């Protein structure tokens, strides 16, 4: 049988426990808080203008929420697949569950299935795919399609068609980063929308290629120089991939997080002493995406190992303000002291482990070092439920919610595991409020 048919069988035979649903609700909270926290931004205004959610059809609602979820660079990350599954799968599943007025249990089961499809296909693309293609955007449509297939009741054959049509829509190039363009938000928006369209069409009998992954002119042949096809179906007994997904504590590219984690620890050891030089060792993908010594705008700074390490060493924290123009200017000299290189041991462990090595030499000659094999928020170094709720509350308030309203939303989202109706949260009414104040883009 084809890989997509075997994947469909694997996911549908996988048991779902009450604890799995509770896990899923935590990731839904994280993703939706990321989305609502971005409401006052200029990219959110643009997305809302093109796809006003209170007036849009289901697929365009998924488009809007998918784009919104990725703006703050705070959404989840699955290490082995190098994807942000939450910002694609959850918007797609939410849009369908909302419009069909479904309960939280069906929605959360669909989220688990969507993560599984996105992440398993993401684990199969190989390391070289990521050099040009954004895995979230290329693999996300499969996850969105599977989540939708669960919610609209597609049988196995129609689900395989949906995956075939999701795969033929896969796209998303890294070129946007060279110019600091906004396309990354479009990647998640379109992945969510494309997956829904693929499943809606399959429901009508619209066929898709069963061998979309492994076929002679399929996904691997076109986009993956070193695919690992067996990753799609290996280890069916393992926990749901959602449970192996990381939560971000800092609002920047996940590739910078292991180095940030180590740099914050060294900040306390340096105790204000002047720094002479910093050496950061990372893996190849981290260098490809985040070797940016002179970021000229906030978004580029979020993808700069030099900037994020410099600010973490200087301030002992990284937050949204860390990427503003005045902070980037303050860090010009410090960034120049940060050199990044490939660390063979760290590279060998990637993508199973996302690590970093940092060595700091102070002006007095002291030499301090920190090594991280797993960043804060990884399954091996997790955030607590209280930390996740605190992150969500801060983002919701930043997005315009009062503290009381934020707490109500947090309780309601976590209540989805008790089968609370999705529509009862009124998310699209909140997310589509055109009266939400638009923050000026963080100073470029």
């Amino acid at each position: 049988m084809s890989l997509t048919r075997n994947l469909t069988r694997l996911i549908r035979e996988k048991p779902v426990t009450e604890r799995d649903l509770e896990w899923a609700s935590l990731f839904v909270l994280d993703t939706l808080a990321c989305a609502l926290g971005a409401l006052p931004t200029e990219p959110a205004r643009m997305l809302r203008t093109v796809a006003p959610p209170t007036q849009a059809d289901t697929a365009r609602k998924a488009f809007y929420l998918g784009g919104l979820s990725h703006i703050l660079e705070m959404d989840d990350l699955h290490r082995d697949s190098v994807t942000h599954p939450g910002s694609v799968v959850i918007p797609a599943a939410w849009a369908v569950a909302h419009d069909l007025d479904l309960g939280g249990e069906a929605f959360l089961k669909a989220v688990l299935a969507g993560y599984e499809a996105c992440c398993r296909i993401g684990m199969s693309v190989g390391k070289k795919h990521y050099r040009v293609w954004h895995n979230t955007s290329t693999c996300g449509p499969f996850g969105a399609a599977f989540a939708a297939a669960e919610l609209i009741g597609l049988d196995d054959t129609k689900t395989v068609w949906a995956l075939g049509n999701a795969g033929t829509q896969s796209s998303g190039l890294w070129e946007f980063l060279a110019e600091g363009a906004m396309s990354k938000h479009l990647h998640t928006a379109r992945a969510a929308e494309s997956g829904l369209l693929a499943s809606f069409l399959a429901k009508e009998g619209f066929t898709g290629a069963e061998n979309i992954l492994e076929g002679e002119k399929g996904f691997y042949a076109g986009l993956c120089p070193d695919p690992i096809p067996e990753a799609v179906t290996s280890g069916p007994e393992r926990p749901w991939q959602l449970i192996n997904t990381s939560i971000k504590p800092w609002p920047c590219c996940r590739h910078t997080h292991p180095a940030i984690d180590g740099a914050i620890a060294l900040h306390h050891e340096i105790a204000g002493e002047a720094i002479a030089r910093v050496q950061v060792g990372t893996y190849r993908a981290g260098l490809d995406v985040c070797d940016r010594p002179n970021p000229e705008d906030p978004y580029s700074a979020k993808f700069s190992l030099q900037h994020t390490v410099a600010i973490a060493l200087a301030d002992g924290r990284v937050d949204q303000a860390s990427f503003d123009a005045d902070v980037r200017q303050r860090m010009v000299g410090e960034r120049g002291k940060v050199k990044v290189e490939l660390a063979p041991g760290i590279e060998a462990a990637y993508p199973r482990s996302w690590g970093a090595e940092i060595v700091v030499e102070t002006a007095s000659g002291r030499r301090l070092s920190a090594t991280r094999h797993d960043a804060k928020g990884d399954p091996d170094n997790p955030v607590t439920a209280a930390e996740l709720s605190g992150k969500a509350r801060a983002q919701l308030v930043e997005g315009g919610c009062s503290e009381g309203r934020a707490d109500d939303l947090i309780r309601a989202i976590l209540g989805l595991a008790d089968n609370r109706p999705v529509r009862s949260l009124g998310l699209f009414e909140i997310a589509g409020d055109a009266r939400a104040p638009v923050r000026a883009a963080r100073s470029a």
Side-chain angles (χ1 to χ4, degrees):
M1 291 192 296
S2 68
L3 285 174
T4 53
R5 192 168 290 274
N6 279 323
L7 176 63
T8 299
R9 175 176 294 180
L10 181 156
I11 293 175
R12 289 187 166 156
E13 291 179 352
K14 202 169 181 65
V16 178
T17 68
E18 184 177 330
R19 182 58 180 145
D20 292 330
L21 296 179
E22 291 171 356
W23 269 103
S25 70
L26 289 171
F27 281 85
V28 171
L29 171 61
D30 187 61
T31 297
L32 296 184
C34 288
L36 297 181
L39 281 176
T41 66
E42 184 64 13
R45 182 200 62 77
M46 297 174 184
L47 289 168
R48 189 163 56 246
T49 299
V50 171
T54 55
Q55 304 170 31
D57 63 17
T58 308
R60 193 45 64 99
K61 286 175 182 171
F63 172 93
Y64 173 64
L65 193 56
L68 205 62
S69 300
H70 206 42
I71 289 173
L72 296 181
E73 286 294 331
M74 288 289 280
D75 48 319
D76 62 26
L77 185 285
H78 183 267
R79 291 177 298 176
D80 288 351
S81 63
V82 202
T83 61
H84 300 274
S87 57
V88 177
V89 172
I90 289 168
W94 191 276
V96 176
H98 175 277
D99 282 8
L100 296 181
D101 199 14
L102 300 178
E105 183 176 347
F107 163 72
L108 293 173
K109 286 180 178 178
V111 167
L112 285 166
Y115 269 67
E116 199 75 10
C118 175
C119 296
R120 283 183 169 275
I121 291 173
M123 290 189 290
S124 77
V125 300
K127 289 185 178 182
K128 293 181 181 179
H129 176 84
Y130 193 71
R131 300 291 296 273
V132 176
W133 299 99
H134 184 200
N135 292 17
T136 302
S137 190
T138 57
C139 304
F142 295 102
F146 210 106
E150 295 293 277
L151 292 168
I152 64 177
L154 297 189
D155 62 21
D156 286 1
T157 293
K158 287 188 175 181
T159 299
V160 169
W161 292 348
L163 294 174
N165 285 321
T168 208
Q169 297 180 81
S170 291
S171 61
L173 298 162
W174 276 109
E175 183 59 26
F176 74 89
L177 197 54
E179 302 174 34
M182 297 179 181
S183 305
K184 197 161 186 270
H185 316 325
L186 182 62
H187 288 182
T188 51
R190 285 291 292 155
E193 182 182 41
S194 295
L196 287 201
L197 291 174
S199 283
F200 292 166
L201 287 166
K203 184 178 181 180
E204 299 301 317
F206 196 95
T207 60
E210 177 155 340
N211 294 296
I212 189 64
L213 293 175
E214 70 272 33
E216 182 181 354
K217 296 184 179 180
F219 184 79
Y220 295 149
L223 280 69
C224 307
D226 57 346
I228 313 167
E230 60 272 19
V232 174
T233 55
S234 66
E237 75 288 349
R238 293 198 298 260
W240 289 94
Q241 294 301 324
L242 177 144
I243 296 171
N244 291 325
T245 302
S246 302
I247 298 291
K248 279 185 170 185
W250 301 296
C252 45
C253 180
R254 186 63 175 175
H255 292 308
T256 67
H257 284 210
I260 289 172
D261 202 1
I264 288 175
L266 292 179
H267 163 82
H268 300 290
E269 293 187 47
I270 293 167
E273 187 176 346
I275 292 173
R277 58 188 59 85
V278 181
Q279 192 71 45
V280 177
T282 186
Y283 43 86
R284 170 57 58 190
L287 291 177
D288 289 344
V289 177
C290 296
D291 182 6
R292 301 183 180 280
N294 299 301
E296 297 181 352
D297 55 76
Y299 206 57
S300 296
K302 290 188 173 194
F303 286 81
S304 168
L305 275 164
Q306 289 87 347
H307 181 79
T308 52
V309 168
I311 195 65
L313 287 170
D315 293 356
R317 67 179 187 279
V318 175
D319 53 29
Q320 292 288 354
S322 300
F323 306 97
D324 286 353
D326 58 336
V327 180
R328 296 199 312 275
Q329 182 60 37
R330 173 163 64 93
M331 287 294 106
V332 168
E334 297 304 303
R335 282 198 305 268
K337 300 173 184 177
V338 180
K339 307 302 179 187
V340 299
E341 64 181 5
L342 186 72
I346 299 295
E347 165 65 11
Y350 177 84
R352 183 184 67 258
S353 176
W354 292 35
E357 301 169 347
I358 304 178
V359 178
V360 176
E361 185 176 329
T362 68
S364 67
R366 281 201 302 154
R367 190 177 174 86
L368 308 169
S369 64
T371 299
R372 292 291 184 271
H373 299 292
D374 301 290
K376 178 68 173 175
D378 283 344
D380 303 302
N381 185 18
V383 296
T384 66
E387 288 172 328
L388 176 56
S389 291
K391 172 189 171 183
R393 184 176 295 105
Q395 289 178 292
L396 291 169
V397 170
E398 178 75 4
C401 287
S402 66
E403 291 188 2
R405 177 60 171 143
D407 288 338
D408 288 345
L409 272 172
I410 291 169
R411 282 191 293 270
I413 292 168
L414 296 180
L416 291 168
D418 297 323
N419 210 29
R420 179 177 181 135
V422 167
R423 190 183 291 176
S424 69
L425 274 72
L427 183 78
F428 287 118
E429 287 72 24
I430 299 169
D433 188 354
R435 296 170 300 172
V438 176
R439 260 195 327 259
R442 299 202 80 96
S443 49

